[in-house]
Amino acid sequence: MTTEHVDVLIVGAGISGIGAAWHLQDRCPDRTYAIVEGRDDLGGTWDLFRYPGVRSDSDMHTLGYSFKPWTADKAIADGPSILAYLRETVHEYGIDRHIRFGHHIDRATWSSADATWTVEGHRTADGEPVTMTCGYLFMCSGYYSYKAGYTPEFEGIEDFGGQVVHPQQWPEDLDYAGKRVVVVGSGATAMTLVPALAETAGHVTMLQRSPTYVVSRSDVDSVANNLRKVLPEPVAYELTRTKNVAMQQFFYQQTRVRPEKVKERLLGMVRKELGPDYDVDRHFTPSYNPWDQRLCLVPNSDLFEALRSGRASVVTDQIARFTEAGVELRSGEVLEADIVVTATGLQMVTLGEMDFVVDGEPVDFSQTWTYKGFAYSDIPNLASSFGYINASWTLRSDLIAEYVCRMLNHLAETRTSIATPRLRPSDCSMPERPWIDGFNPGYMNRVMDRLPRQGDREPWINPQRYGRDKKLFRKGPLDDGVMQFTTPVPAEPTAPVRTLDVAVPVGR
Ligand SMILES: Cc1cc2nc3c(=O)[nH]c(=O)nc-3n(C[C@H](O)[C@H](O)[C@H](O)COP(=O)(O)OP(=O)(O)OC[C@H]3O[C@@H](n4cnc5c(N)ncnc54)[C@H](O)[C@@H]3O)c2cc1C
């Protein structure tokens, strides 16, 4: 059996992988590529999550691709609409031909002698082994485990007489009409679920340990829709993107320089929604500043509307234990429930939960330094896509894909085939900073010690700021003294000498 070889192998057919494929086709048309996807369909997040009301909380003008206008009226879109947009993208650009569905990758092994990654996995349908090789490996595998979501240990959960459901594995036939539902958590998923479930449930209680900042916004961007009436679609889209990026950046910046003022404003808006008698201090006033953790957007005040109507309520307390009838809280209160939804988050993972080996040495990503937040010190020909935690994911995954294409073209121009970020002597004493600074939600804290570290200077940084990233990725020099562009080195002195033409699958 021959092993398929491609110049670039993309792992994952979600927003990032599909975007990466488009950029490759556009900027590096001579490169061969394939996308391996563990699931049987594309879309990643937007295919996996099926809970009621699933939607974006970013506007689709920035969560959409730079190259494909979002043309629907609603800027905050539901999951199926996002999936339909991704399907349309792969058909329109012929990306679908390159996707190998049901191919789960377990391990990637780099050989410097051949400038090649050997990628091994299995077919999910029958467990048959899969092996492919590539010159450049582009991980677009998202940031969380697809195996299961995160559920903390709850005492007595096995005693509960009702049903426990995690949003990541929502049963298609779950009947919650008229039932008492407790949603544990107060992140974006809980905020989405509560109003959606409250439409037919008997009552929904959002049980949170601590509050989250919540802000309501219309799901329709009237400026965008008006621009579309008078301008060609791509022009209107570009203008809306620019407006929204500027607004997001301005708001985020305000939370950094005037946190108190922003806090006051956000809480004022919640008070206005819920009225003077509502205990906003207890249920909607976090102990941290806005954007120290992800801020939750609710469209058209749907959460507040559910609370005002009495169909939903918020309880701020901690679970002491589950009982047969429901959940007993530390305060002694008991929440009786038929269904408990554990909207307690995701399990963040590194690079598709795969094992990586470089020239015989297993890779421990916590021992690496991040290069611009997409590559890793001493790991050749490897990129990984990671979006923004404070803005739309795609803004950054687009930039990373552009940069990878620039780098591939540089390899071709210089007739080299290996790009490896290496510390300069002066970098060796850099102070260490965490992978992402100043952002500390539980799901990230739980894995911070497994993630690469940042330094204090370019390019060993992961700024998570679109403006700065744009400069780093679009204007930053490729040959920056850190990224080393080289040709393969034979593994052993006795090995036959390979010519560039044979041993260089990436650089042509
Ligand atoms: C419920 C929810 C709502 C969100 N809403 C927003 C939002 O409004 N705005 C925003 O900016 N972000 C949001 N996010 C973050 C969201 O994940 C990103 O916006 C984006 O969808 C990530 O795309 P991705 O392609 O990088 O990763 P994913 O969507 O996670 O896709 C990764 C793909 O890689 C595949 N894969 C992983 N490992 C392997 C492997 N080893 N072998 C083969 N295939 C593999 C997976 O099967 C999957 O298809 C949300 C996340 C969730 C969970």
Side-chain angles (χ1 to χ4, degrees):
M1 215 173 71
T2 54
T3 300
E4 186 185 2
H5 179 86
V6 286
D7 291 334
V8 183
L9 187 66
I10 297 169
V11 179
I15 287 186
S16 304
I18 294 168
W22 184 89
H23 284 285
L24 271 174
Q25 290 185 179
D26 186 56
R27 288 160 197 259
C28 311
D30 295 339
R31 302 281 178 183
T32 57
Y33 82 90
I35 304 179
V36 275
E37 168 53 57
R39 296 168 60 74
D40 292 330
D41 206 345
L42 54 80
T45 298
W46 304 104
D47 177 50
L48 177 71
F49 282 86
R50 306 276 176 99
Y51 57 77
V54 60
R55 58 161 172 79
S56 69
D57 54 6
S58 305
D59 68 276
M60 288 306 298
H61 300 100
T62 54
L63 190 57
Y65 296 115
S66 54
F67 55 86
K68 182 169 170 61
W70 175 259
T71 56
D73 280 347
K74 283 195 176 181
I76 304 298
D78 57 38
S81 309
I82 301 173
L83 200 52
Y85 169 82
L86 295 175
R87 282 195 210 295
E88 202 178 282
T89 307
V90 298
H91 293 317
E92 196 172 324
Y93 296 104
I95 293 166
D96 40 6
R97 292 195 298 274
H98 298 262
I99 308 177
R100 317 272 193 275
F101 288 112
H103 280 45
H104 189 276
I105 305 305
D106 303 308
R107 181 183 164 94
T109 308
W110 169 259
S111 158
S112 291
D114 311 311
T116 298
W117 283 104
T118 301
V119 169
E120 294 159 290
H122 62 276
R123 282 205 313 238
T124 48
D126 54 14
E128 277 297 301
V130 169
T131 303
M132 290 178 77
T133 57
C134 63
Y136 199 95
L137 185 57
F138 196 170
M139 295 299 301
C140 295
S141 48
Y143 63 101
Y144 59 84
S145 174
Y146 272 71
K147 292 179 193 149
Y150 173 72
T151 310
E153 291 221 347
F154 291 123
E155 199 186 318
I157 197 161
E158 61 287 349
D159 300 334
F160 180 51
Q163 201 170 350
V164 179
V165 173
H166 194 286
Q168 192 165 326
Q169 281 134 335
W170 195 267
E172 212 178 313
D173 55 355
L174 184 71
D175 179 13
Y176 52 87
K179 305 251 172 85
R180 297 162 302 173
V181 184
V182 171
V183 177
V184 184
S186 58
T189 302
M191 301 288 174
T192 305
L193 268 167
V194 169
L197 296 175
E199 282 177 21
T200 50
H203 184 80
V204 183
T205 307
M206 185 170 94
L207 169 59
Q208 58 179 12
R209 202 166 43 177
S210 55
T212 304
Y213 287 105
V214 186
V215 63
S216 170
R217 220 174 74 188
S218 165
D219 61 358
V220 171
D221 183 337
S222 53
V223 175
N225 291 349
N226 285 331
L227 285 175
R228 283 173 51 224
K229 285 182 197 149
V230 293
L231 292 171
E233 203 72 75
V235 180
Y237 184 58
E238 188 50 43
L239 285 173
T240 306
R241 272 172 80 83
T242 309
K243 163 184 82 73
N244 291 1
V245 165
M247 278 167 54
Q248 281 168 15
Q249 282 188 300
F250 175 76
F251 179 68
Y252 181 73
Q253 207 42 38
Q254 292 298 304
T255 67
R256 304 296 88 186
V257 294
R258 292 187 188 81
E260 280 307 318
K261 213 161 171 204
V262 177
K263 182 172 178 173
E264 201 184 301
R265 181 129 189 265
L266 291 176
L267 298 181
M269 280 153 61
V270 177
R271 286 202 176 88
K272 211 166 152 197
E273 293 273 5
L274 295 173
D277 298 334
Y278 196 89
D279 195 349
V280 170
D281 286 348
R282 180 165 174 74
H283 300 309
F284 283 96
T285 309
S287 55
Y288 52 86
N289 283 327
W291 270 127
D292 282 355
Q293 296 189 19
R294 208 175 166 106
L295 190 141
C296 281
L297 173 125
V298 298
N300 311 323
S301 302
D302 64 356
L303 175 79
F304 299 125
E305 168 55 28
L307 295 177
R308 283 195 300 260
S309 71
R311 287 179 282 117
S313 54
V314 180
V315 170
T316 306
D317 204 329
Q318 289 199 44
I319 296 178
R321 66 185 62 77
F322 274 65
T323 64
E324 156 83 34
V327 183
E328 190 181 312
L329 306 176
R330 290 259 168 95
S331 63
E333 190 186 346
V334 174
L335 298 176
E336 294 195 346
D338 304 303
I339 299 171
V340 173
V341 180
T342 49
T344 40
L346 308 160
Q347 299 198 63
M348 197 170 162
V349 295
T350 52
L351 294 105
E353 298 183 78
M354 284 163 49
D355 293 327
F356 285 79
V357 177
V358 170
D359 292 328
E361 289 293 319
V363 176
D364 174 354
F365 284 102
S366 71
Q367 297 305 306
T368 66
W369 297 84
T370 183
Y371 177 87
K372 299 189 181 189
F374 85 97
Y376 305 88
S377 56
D378 298 330
I379 315 288
N381 288 12
L382 178 72
S384 65
S385 197
F386 192 97
Y388 288 114
I389 36 123
N390 51 17
S392 286
W393 184 272
T394 319
L395 291 173
R396 190 161 191 276
S397 68
D398 258 348
L399 284 179
I400 292 173
E402 270 181 42
Y403 194 78
V404 167
C405 290
R406 276 183 69 196
M407 220 164 49
L408 290 170
N409 288 340
H410 184 80
L411 286 164
E413 280 157 21
T414 54
R415 295 188 62 75
T416 52
S417 56
I418 307 176
T420 317
R422 304 254 188 227
L423 265 69
R424 296 161 294 206
S426 59
D427 295 332
C428 293
S429 54
M430 269 190 299
E432 287 182 24
R433 292 187 301 145
W435 156 248
I436 289 182
D437 258 342
F439 184 74
N440 49 12
Y443 70 85
M444 204 165 271
N445 285 343
R446 287 194 289 275
V447 292
M448 205 53 102
D449 60 342
R450 277 180 269 152
L451 302 177
R453 54 212 159 173
Q454 286 190 73
D456 62 349
R457 65 201 69 167
E458 290 185 12
W460 302 112
I461 53 167
N462 181 19
Q464 282 284 313
R465 302 237 308 266
Y466 185 57
R468 187 146 184 213
D469 274 342
K470 256 199 334 199
K471 284 198 196 111
L472 271 180
F473 287 119
R474 289 206 175 129
K475 304 247 184 316
L478 288 157
D479 210 347
D480 57 3
V482 166
M483 189 63 85
Q484 306 292 313
F485 295 95
T486 57
T487 49
V489 180
E492 292 165 24
T494 50
V497 177
R498 293 165 186 269
T499 66
L500 267 183
D501 285 348
V502 175
V504 183
V506 174
R508 271 184 241 124

